[in-house]
Amino acid sequence: MGKGGMSHGGGEEEEEENKAAWLLGLKTLKIQPYNLPPIGPHDVKVRMKAVGICGSDVHHFKHMRCGNFIVKKPMVIGHECAGIIEEVGSEVKSLQAGDRVALEPGISCRQCQFCKGGRYNLCRQMKFFGSPPTNGALANLVVHPANLCFKLPDNVSLEEGAMCEPLSVGVHACHRAQVSPQTKILIMGAGPIGLVTMLAARAFGAPKIVIVDIDDQRLSFAKHVGADEVIQVSTNIQDVGEEVVKIQNAVGANVDVSFDCVGFSKTMSVALNATRAGGKVCLVGMGQSEMTLPLTPTAGREIDVIGIFRYRNTWPLCIEFLRSGKIDVKPLITHRFEFIQEQVEEAFETSARGGNAIKVMFNL
């Protein structure tokens, strides 16, 4: 549904007019009615205003799966989102109708050892927007727990609010790798996640950041948004040694922390070889489900290999980085589409093509 024709009348009328983008099959998205669950005492109803497309959404769109998450029945897609509170549950005190909020898309169980230990992103019962079998956020209205909706300051737009989700991946990676003003950084991959990891690392004080990619268009964009050095490499699997030398020359000193935001055997091998003894390599991207890596020499140089899965407790910090101007995500939003049938599949195709498309955003 476009911007016109939306009713703000009684609850029933709204339920009838709520529409969402349903993934029905390979590369098949249809805007269809979406009946919401009733609003619980601790929930809010949010009118979606900005929804971004993520790499995992594109995987679902193109392959009906992402990693071990397989789409087995029609599903509402999307999880990078922000909107305006339309209704609050009876127990909600922190938010009110009209508040602009960014939504954290995962609802954990709160009962398991991971949740109780504060690592709720590892919860096995996690219900995550647009990850099968949980319906997502590309809809006119959604119902979500109030404690996962974060109020946006006046100087942070709804689009920037939706960008808190990908930015959270970079912030969590920097937390895990303990990035500080002494940390010299290498980032493999200048796609959306490589770029938000770069912005986060800079906000954490990293003095030198080098980005590596095969695509010169992406590299010039990375330079434009703040990389100190960019290095173009080839897809040839044999030239790891050559690339490591290039990287070490560019950094001008040892690499303290490498982030692999691609996730292939080759990118990870380069990162492990380019990182100084005693440094850290954080695997962020999941390009391959299995890799073959030079782990024996890595162990001999005491390099810590760190994994990350999504994020936890990152929204307040992301919003503060945006509010204070320490991070500017606006240049990353390169394409905008309306929430109408003619544009939904086109938006996903645009995101899938990559190239000059960094972040594709729906304005609802």
Side-chain angles (χ1 to χ4, degrees):
M1 183 175 287
K3 284 173 186 168
M6 279 191 204
S7 135
H8 291 273
E12 280 176 36
E13 209 177 337
E14 277 181 11
E15 295 300 332
E16 279 168 35
E17 62 94 18
N18 190 34
K19 298 276 179 75
W22 290 86
L23 180 61
L24 302 176
L26 283 175
K27 295 191 176 182
T28 309
L29 280 165
K30 288 277 181 291
I31 294 182
Q32 295 182 339
Y34 177 29
N35 294 324
L36 291 175
I39 189 170
H42 299 282
D43 295 334
V44 290
K45 186 183 283 183
V46 187
R47 184 166 291 281
M48 290 284 102
K49 290 292 178 186
V51 181
I53 298 179
C54 167
S56 63
D57 296 326
V58 171
H59 266 282
H60 287 128
F61 174 67
K62 283 170 68 177
H63 310 291
M64 296 294 281
R65 70 179 296 157
C66 184
N68 298 326
F69 298 97
I70 300 164
V71 183
K72 293 175 179 166
K73 63 180 176 51
M75 176 183 85
V76 177
I77 204 160
H79 61 268
E80 302 179 357
C81 57
I84 298 173
I85 302 275
E86 193 134 300
E87 196 185 322
V88 301
S90 56
E91 298 292 314
V92 175
K93 304 283 183 275
S94 55
L95 296 165
Q96 56 190 28
D99 283 347
R100 299 154 61 256
V101 291
L103 285 69
E104 180 172 349
I107 306 171
S108 59
C109 79
R110 300 182 175 190
Q111 310 295 322
C112 68
Q113 68 185 76
F114 294 117
C115 287
K116 287 180 171 178
R119 301 184 76 173
Y120 65 85
N121 56 317
L122 303 179
C123 173
R124 294 198 179 96
Q125 310 300 315
M126 178 73 80
K127 293 185 175 73
F128 192 90
F129 272 163
S131 184
T134 308
N135 285 323
L138 188 46
N140 298 129
L141 293 161
V142 301
V143 168
H144 205 53
N147 70 333
L148 295 172
C149 296
F150 298 85
K151 201 169 163 180
L152 295 171
D154 292 343
N155 68 339
V156 176
S157 71
L158 287 155
E159 283 192 337
E160 290 171 277
M163 288 294 289
C164 284
E165 199 280 343
L167 182 57
S168 284
V169 175
V171 166
H172 183 52
C174 288
H175 269 148
R176 291 269 291 146
Q178 296 173 319
V179 173
S180 77
Q182 282 89 46
T183 316
K184 294 189 179 67
I185 284 178
L186 166 67
I187 295 174
M188 305 298 294
I193 293 298
L195 294 171
V196 291
T197 302
M198 177 190 79
L199 295 175
R202 189 65 88 207
F204 276 77
K208 179 112 190 199
I209 302 174
V210 174
I211 290 202
V212 174
D213 204 287
I214 56 173
D215 185 323
D216 59 346
Q217 205 177 356
R218 292 237 155 155
L219 287 172
S220 59
F221 189 87
K223 190 88 171 135
H224 170 66
V225 292
D228 294 306
E229 301 279 350
V230 295
I231 300 173
Q232 188 170 9
V233 294
S234 76
T235 51
N236 183 354
I237 210 81
Q238 262 59 58
D239 50 18
V240 169
E242 220 171 285
E243 289 171 11
V244 168
V245 171
K246 256 195 219 175
I247 288 162
Q248 287 173 335
N249 289 341
V251 179
N254 290 328
V255 174
D256 299 306
V257 173
S258 294
F259 294 99
D260 182 357
C261 297
V262 184
F264 286 117
S265 294
K266 184 182 176 196
T267 50
M268 199 60 182
S269 295
V270 171
L272 290 167
N273 281 301
T275 303
R276 67 167 173 80
K280 297 183 175 75
V281 174
C282 182
L283 178 57
V284 183
M286 294 186 177
Q288 282 176 303
S289 51
E290 287 186 5
M291 298 184 193
T292 306
L293 296 173
L295 278 184
T296 311
T298 298
R301 291 163 56 231
E302 287 198 0
I303 288 175
D304 296 342
V305 179
I306 300 164
I308 72 153
F309 185 60
R310 294 178 182 150
Y311 35 68
R312 57 178 175 267
N313 301 314
T314 48
W315 259 253
L317 182 55
C318 288
I319 290 169
E320 176 52 27
F321 279 152
L322 296 173
R323 185 203 66 77
S324 64
K326 271 195 167 183
I327 290 180
D328 182 8
V329 289
K330 294 189 288 294
L332 271 51
I333 304 166
T334 52
H335 293 69
R336 291 174 174 84
F337 289 85
E338 283 184 56
F339 184 51
I340 52 177
Q341 185 59 48
E342 302 78 82
Q343 295 198 16
V344 168
E345 285 179 7
E346 190 193 338
F348 275 81
E349 294 287 4
T350 302
S351 187
R353 276 194 298 274
N356 67 344
I358 301 294
K359 181 55 64 182
V360 176
M361 185 73 69
F362 285 102
N363 292 131
L364 280 79

